[in-house]
Amino acid sequence: MSLYKNSAFFVLSLIYIYALVSSDGANITISYAADKLKVIPTLSPAVVVPSPVFNPTVLDSFVSLNLLSTFPEDQEISEYCSELLHIFGQRYVAYVNCLVPAARPVKVCLNCFSTYDSLIVTYNNISSDKMGPGNVSCRDSLLRSDRLMLVYLLYSNVDSLWTKSNCDHCINKDPPSLTNDTVYFMSTLNQTLTCFEKHQQGNQTELCKSCKTIYRSVNELYGRMEKNQTMCIDIEDAMNITRKLWSKTYNCSFPREETVPVIAVSSFMLFLPIIFYLSSFLHSEQKKRKLIHPKRAKSYASLMNIQDKMS
C-alpha cells in the first residue's frame, strides 16, 4: 500500500513539474512576442508586402553576384572598348563640370572648348571604323548594341549645345584656340568694363563722358562681327550685359551717327507734298497761257465771215 502511494506521489510530482515548465515556456514566448510588438510602430505609413519573386532569406547570395560574369565571353566588350568607354565618361563629366559654372554669364565656348575637344576626340575613336588593338572596333558594341544607345545620346546632347551656341564662330578647330576677332573683342570689352569700374563711384555724367569713346569702339566692333557672323553666344551675352550697364545702370547715351541722315530724309518726305502741289500749280498756269488765240487766228476768222456774206 505504501509502495502504491509513493508511486502515485512520484507520478503527480512529475506531472506538476512538466506543467510548470510548459507554463514558463508559454510565458517566455508571449513576453518575447509582446516585446516584438512594442518595437513595431502603431501607425505605419505603408504595409510592406513580401515580393513574390525575391526571397529575403537568400539576399546574401545575390550581393556578390556579378551580372557580366553570367554572359558568354563573346557578348562582353573588349578591354580596349571598356577603356575607351571609361575615358569617355571621365571627359564627359569634366565637360559638364565646366559648363555649369559657365552658364551665367555665358562662357560655354571661351572656357570649355578644350574639354569639349577632348570629349569629341574620344567619341571619334569610339565611332571610328578603324580597328583598335587586337583588330577590335568599338562602334557596334558601344553605339549600336541596344535601343537606348546611351553613348550616342550623350554625345548628341553636347553636340547640339555646341551648335546652338555657335561656338565654331569663336573657336579655331585645329588646334582648338580662340579666333583673332574673339581675342580682339574681349580685349576691347575688358577695357570698357575697366573704364566703367574706374568711374562708377563718382559722378555718372563723368563716367558717360570718359567711357564714351571706348564704349563706341566695342559697340562698332560688335556690329561688324554680327554682320560677318563671326560671334558666338559668349560675345552676344557679354555685349548685352555691357549695353544694360551703359543705358540702364549708368543712364548713359550718345547720339547715333545715322540720326542726321534720318532727319534729312524725314524732312524731305515731309515737304514733298508741298513741292508736288506747288509744281502742279505752276505747270497748270503755264498751260493756260499757251491756250490764248493768236492775232493771226482772229484775222482768219473775220476773213471767213466776209466770204460767207458775199456768197
Side-chain angles (χ1 to χ4, degrees):
M1 187 68 181
S2 60
L3 179 61
Y4 176 76
K5 289 180 178 180
N6 293 332
S7 299
F9 178 78
F10 180 74
V11 171
L12 290 174
S13 299
L14 290 177
I15 294 173
Y16 180 73
I17 293 170
Y18 179 77
L20 289 175
V21 172
S22 300
S23 62
D24 291 337
N27 291 334
I28 293 172
T29 304
I30 292 172
S31 62
Y32 177 76
D35 293 337
K36 286 292 186 180
L37 290 174
K38 290 179 182 179
V39 176
I40 300 175
T42 56
L43 295 177
S44 178
V47 178
V48 179
V49 180
S51 173
V53 178
F54 182 72
N55 188 0
T57 58
V58 294
L59 175 63
D60 296 337
S61 63
F62 281 93
V63 171
S64 61
L65 180 63
N66 187 0
L67 181 61
L68 292 179
S69 63
T70 61
F71 292 140
E73 292 183 359
D74 58 349
Q75 298 296 325
E76 298 181 9
I77 62 175
S78 64
E79 184 178 354
Y80 169 70
C81 296
S82 178
E83 182 65 21
L84 275 182
L85 184 61
H86 179 69
I87 296 174
F88 179 83
Q90 288 181 331
R91 295 183 176 180
Y92 192 92
V93 171
Y95 181 59
V96 172
N97 289 337
C98 179
L99 287 178
V100 174
R104 190 76 263 160
V106 181
K107 296 181 180 179
V108 297
C109 302
L110 304 184
N111 289 3
C112 303
F113 68 89
S114 59
T115 53
Y116 174 79
D117 182 71
S118 300
L119 178 65
I120 296 304
V121 169
T122 306
Y123 179 81
N124 290 337
N125 291 334
I126 292 175
S127 60
S128 177
D129 292 334
K130 297 180 181 180
M131 297 297 179
N135 293 328
V136 175
S137 176
C138 302
R139 184 179 62 180
D140 294 335
S141 60
L142 296 181
L143 299 182
R144 302 178 180 177
S145 59
D146 56 82
R147 180 177 61 85
L148 182 60
M149 297 188 295
L150 181 60
V151 176
Y152 174 76
L153 187 62
L154 293 174
Y155 163 76
S156 298
N157 290 334
V158 298
D159 184 66
S160 176
L161 176 63
W162 185 267
T163 302
K164 290 180 180 180
S165 302
N166 293 325
C167 291
D168 288 335
H169 296 167
C170 295
I171 307 298
N172 295 318
K173 291 185 177 181
D174 192 20
S177 60
L178 300 179
T179 62
N180 294 333
D181 291 343
T182 303
V183 173
Y184 182 69
F185 175 84
M186 296 306 299
S187 176
T188 308
L189 180 66
N190 289 335
Q191 294 177 19
T192 305
L193 297 178
T194 302
C195 184
F196 289 171
E197 185 178 358
K198 180 180 179 181
H199 297 90
Q200 66 181 353
Q201 300 299 333
N203 190 0
Q204 290 186 354
T205 305
E206 184 66 23
L207 184 146
C208 299
K209 182 179 179 181
S210 301
C211 303
K212 178 180 179 180
T213 303
I214 186 64
Y215 177 76
R216 187 190 297 272
S217 298
V218 73
N219 214 25
E220 292 175 353
L221 178 60
Y222 177 81
R224 290 195 298 269
M225 296 181 68
E226 185 178 19
K227 182 179 180 180
N228 299 331
Q229 296 183 353
T230 57
M231 67 178 187
C232 55
I233 186 63
D234 299 18
I235 295 178
E236 180 181 347
D237 185 70
M239 193 63 211
N240 288 337
I241 295 175
T242 306
R243 285 175 172 175
K244 288 180 181 179
L245 290 174
W246 175 262
S247 60
K248 294 184 178 181
T249 304
Y250 304 126
N251 296 321
C252 297
S253 62
F254 60 90
R256 293 176 173 269
E257 294 181 355
E258 60 268 20
T259 304
V260 175
V262 170
I263 294 176
V265 172
S266 300
S267 301
F268 175 76
M269 296 297 294
L270 181 63
F271 287 100
L272 187 62
I274 300 175
I275 297 173
F276 173 77
Y277 285 114
L278 182 60
S279 61
S280 299
F281 176 76
L282 295 176
H283 186 68
S284 61
E285 287 293 331
Q286 187 177 5
K287 282 191 173 183
K288 287 181 180 179
R289 292 176 182 177
K290 290 183 179 181
L291 291 176
I292 297 176
H293 296 285
K295 294 181 179 180
R296 184 182 300 175
K298 186 176 180 180
S299 61
Y300 178 77
S302 59
L303 179 62
M304 291 297 295
N305 289 332
I306 295 173
Q307 289 181 356
D308 291 338
K309 290 179 180 181
M310 291 178 66
S311 61

